[in-house]
């Protein structure tokens, strides 16, 4: 990667730590523009939002008639998914709550999820990953030096949601992803195809992993196409049709579900905290808070000055970092020096290893032909 002079957006707080960032003559970055464009495209008036939400809810209820559940909601224990699931209850939907237990949940996350399902009287399905296998897979990702370590859990939860929807004949998966708080995230900071690229996972494991991969939930692009096209399973980002404000939502779930704060975005999971607080900044030069804060600035929920102030704080407190540095490598079965050696390997792209790009292109062109 060639060095370029440091520059920070004059509107948000994104900077050249995204190597692909571009600035216009006023110093405004492409993320601000893309985000506003996305918001504008999806922009609905209050009334339109309400109507659209109403239509979707009716559709979901109609489809759920005679079945045990109307929809599925994947829950991490974080604000977005907890608030969304709370709202689904208010809408009168019968929800199957699904959680992925990857072995890294904080105690508080387990408690928060327990409170959620008890208070809302929803059924909970917990998919527990085989720890030893998942440990070997994570170590393989670390050794491969690919950026998006979280891709593994994101893939596993998505594959589980899809599998359960198919098995229990539930047509709708309600997702907590939303434009209001998650709009900006540079392509260079994530692996975009992670939810449906089982090829990338399998090939990285084959090159760097020990033993076999047998139980990990995998979703191939072909299966995804089958489930969404033939079985008509639909993923809906419902928060986009609601007035979603993070702080207010937090208050609501605190009051109604006894939900307790983790003290940091994604701190519900120890590995996510360590990945975003240590591995990403140290090995890849990325501070993910920059993207989250920029989204809040661009959507008018936070001033740029306040975002800059927040960035001055350390990502993790020294005590938590010290604790995680002891705990995480040990739990992964790595000695301190093995972990250090891995941290010193040069960063790689997911595309440096086999991906399902060809299948993707094929299905895409097929889709185009069919649409004609
Ligand atoms: Zn910007």
């Amino acid at each position: 990667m060639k060095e370029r002079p440091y520059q920070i957006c004059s509107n948000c707080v994104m900077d050249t730590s995204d190597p692909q960032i571009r600035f216009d003559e006023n110093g405004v970055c492409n993320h601000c523009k893309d985000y506003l464009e996305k918001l504008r495209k999806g922009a609905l008036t209050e009334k339109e939002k309400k109507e659209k939400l109403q239509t979707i809810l009716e559709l979901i209820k109609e489809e759920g008639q005679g079945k045990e559940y109307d929809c599925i909601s994947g829950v991490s224990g974080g604000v977005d998914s907890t608030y969304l699931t709370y709202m689904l209850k208010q809408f009168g939907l019968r929800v199957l709550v699904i959680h992925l237990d990857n072995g890294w949940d904080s105690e508080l996350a387990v408690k928060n999820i327990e409170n959620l399902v008890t208070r809302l009287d929803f059924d909970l399905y917990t998919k527990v990953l085989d720890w030893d296998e998942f440990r070997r897979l994570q170590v393989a990702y670390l050794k491969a030096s690919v950026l998006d370590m979280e891709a593994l859990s994101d893939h596993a939860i998505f594959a589980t949601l899809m599998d359960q929807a198919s098995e229990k004949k539930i047509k709708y998966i309600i997702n907590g992803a939303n434009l209001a708080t998650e709009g900006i995230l540079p392509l260079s900071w994530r692996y975009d195809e992670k939810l449906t690229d089982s090829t990338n996972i399998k090939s990285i494991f084959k090159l760097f992993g020990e033993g076999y991969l047998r139980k990990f939930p995998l979703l191939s692009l072909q299966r995804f196409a089958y489930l969404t096209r033939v079985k008509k399973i639909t993923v809906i980002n419902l928060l986009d049709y609601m007035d979603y404000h993070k702080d207010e939502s937090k208050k609501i779930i605190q009051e109604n579900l006894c939900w307790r704060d983790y003290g940091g975005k994604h701190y519900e999971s120890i590995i996510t905290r360590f990945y975003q607080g240590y591995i990403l900044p140290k090995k890849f030069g990325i501070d993910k808070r920059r993207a989250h804060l920029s989204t809040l600035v661009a959507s008018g929920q936070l001033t740029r000055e306040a975002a800059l102030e927040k960035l001055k704080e350390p990502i993790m407190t020294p005590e938590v970092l010290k604790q995680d540095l002891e705990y995480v490598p040990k739990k992964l079965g790595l000695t301190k020096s093995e972990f250090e050696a891995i941290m010193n390997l040069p960063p790689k792209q997911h595309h440096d290893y086999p991906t399902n790009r060809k299948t993707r292109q094929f299905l895409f062109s097929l889709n185009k032909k069919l649409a004609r």
Side-chain angles (χ1 to χ4, degrees):
M1 243 175 270
K2 66 174 190 299
E3 284 292 318
R4 58 188 284 194
Y6 181 81
Q7 192 174 345
I8 183 165
C9 173
S10 58
N11 184 57
C12 72
V13 294
M14 287 304 294
D15 65 3
T16 36
S17 61
D18 167 22
Q20 292 162 357
I21 198 168
R22 298 183 309 277
F23 300 96
D24 71 5
E25 62 282 6
N26 300 316
V28 177
C29 78
N30 58 303
H31 299 299
C32 279
K33 288 186 177 160
D34 295 348
Y35 180 63
L36 290 179
E37 179 65 23
K38 256 197 281 182
L39 280 186
R40 208 170 47 81
K41 265 192 195 158
L44 300 170
T45 63
E46 285 304 304
K47 189 166 163 268
E48 285 169 336
K49 260 193 195 173
K50 256 191 199 144
E51 284 170 1
K52 184 100 193 187
L53 179 66
Q54 218 43 54
T55 312
I56 294 173
L57 292 175
E58 274 164 25
L59 214 72
I60 296 174
K61 282 180 187 167
E62 203 181 292
E63 189 60 42
Q65 272 177 17
K67 295 179 185 164
E68 201 177 355
Y69 304 104
D70 295 312
C71 60
I72 283 178
S73 175
V75 162
S76 65
V79 181
D80 297 348
S81 60
T82 303
Y83 174 75
L84 178 62
T85 308
Y86 170 78
M87 287 310 293
L88 295 178
K89 181 76 181 187
Q90 313 310 308
F91 296 144
L93 294 174
R94 297 162 308 147
V95 181
L96 173 63
V97 175
I98 296 185
H99 174 65
L100 180 79
D101 177 356
N102 65 0
W104 293 104
D105 278 340
S106 65
E107 269 174 53
L108 186 51
V110 177
K111 190 75 204 151
N112 276 338
I113 294 170
E114 221 176 79
N115 281 338
L116 167 81
V117 290
T118 317
R119 295 203 164 218
L120 298 180
D121 194 25
F122 282 155
D123 288 345
L124 172 68
Y125 173 83
T126 303
K127 173 79 184 176
V128 185
L129 294 185
D130 179 280
W131 171 253
D132 186 59
E133 191 186 76
F134 187 52
R135 181 189 67 76
R136 287 182 280 117
L137 190 52
Q138 289 177 102
V139 172
Y141 259 51
L142 284 173
K143 287 182 177 167
S145 291
V146 282
L147 175 127
D148 201 341
M149 195 179 168
E150 288 289 294
L152 291 173
S153 295
D154 293 344
H155 184 96
I157 180 71
F158 193 60
T160 304
L161 295 176
M162 279 286 170
D163 282 344
Q164 285 296 309
S166 168
E167 193 186 310
K168 301 203 161 66
K169 301 192 170 29
I170 305 168
K171 212 163 141 186
Y172 293 99
I173 296 173
I174 311 299
N175 197 347
N178 64 94
L179 272 177
T181 64
E182 292 179 342
I184 295 177
L185 189 57
L187 260 181
S188 66
W189 287 13
R190 61 178 200 261
Y191 180 47
D192 209 31
E193 320 295 356
K194 62 184 165 187
L195 296 185
T196 52
D197 191 353
S198 52
T199 310
N200 200 232
I201 295 175
K202 284 192 281 187
S203 22
I204 290 173
F205 185 78
K206 204 172 172 189
L207 287 164
F208 298 94
E210 284 169 14
Y212 295 95
L213 207 51
R214 288 198 173 104
K215 299 173 192 158
F216 188 76
L218 290 167
L219 180 67
S220 70
L221 194 58
Q222 292 89 327
R223 181 162 160 78
F224 174 73
Y226 168 73
L227 291 177
T228 49
R229 285 310 190 105
V230 180
K231 288 214 156 187
K232 307 274 181 214
I233 293 171
T234 309
V235 180
I236 303 178
N237 297 341
L238 205 66
L239 285 178
D240 284 341
Y241 304 105
M242 292 155 57
D243 232 353
Y244 186 55
H245 200 288
K246 197 116 190 171
D247 291 334
E248 283 164 25
S249 309
K250 211 183 250 187
K251 252 182 239 150
I252 291 176
I253 57 177
Q254 279 167 338
E255 276 163 23
N256 295 287
L257 302 173
C258 272
W259 184 89
R260 284 183 20 235
D261 206 339
Y262 303 98
K265 190 173 163 76
H266 292 315
Y267 273 29
E268 60 266 27
S269 153
I270 295 164
I271 194 66
T272 308
R273 169 169 85 190
F274 186 66
Y275 166 71
Q276 296 195 1
Y278 184 75
I279 298 179
L280 261 189
K282 191 160 164 83
K283 181 159 176 161
F284 299 92
I286 291 170
D287 181 350
K288 259 199 165 174
R289 294 178 307 173
R290 204 173 273 290
H292 302 313
L293 290 167
S294 288
T295 309
L296 293 176
V297 172
S299 63
Q301 299 192 49
L302 191 74
T303 66
R304 184 171 183 270
E305 289 66 40
L308 287 170
E309 275 311 304
K310 283 204 173 170
L311 281 173
K312 284 186 195 151
E313 294 164 17
I315 309 182
M316 287 169 96
T317 64
E319 301 84 64
V320 176
L321 179 59
K322 190 164 172 261
Q323 184 191 313
D324 284 3
L325 266 171
E326 284 288 325
Y327 180 75
V328 174
K330 198 189 269 176
K331 185 165 161 105
L332 287 171
L334 297 167
T335 65
K336 267 186 185 165
S337 59
E338 281 171 331
F339 180 69
E340 244 169 63
I342 285 174
M343 285 297 289
N344 288 325
L345 293 171
K348 293 273 191 184
Q349 303 287 327
H350 284 263
H351 294 106
D352 290 335
Y353 305 107
T355 66
N356 64 3
R357 204 173 52 135
K358 280 207 174 118
T359 317
R360 191 171 298 280
Q361 283 167 345
F362 170 73
L363 285 176
F364 188 72
S365 61
L366 186 71
N367 213 8
K368 254 177 142 177
K369 268 182 208 151
L370 289 174
R372 242 181 252 154

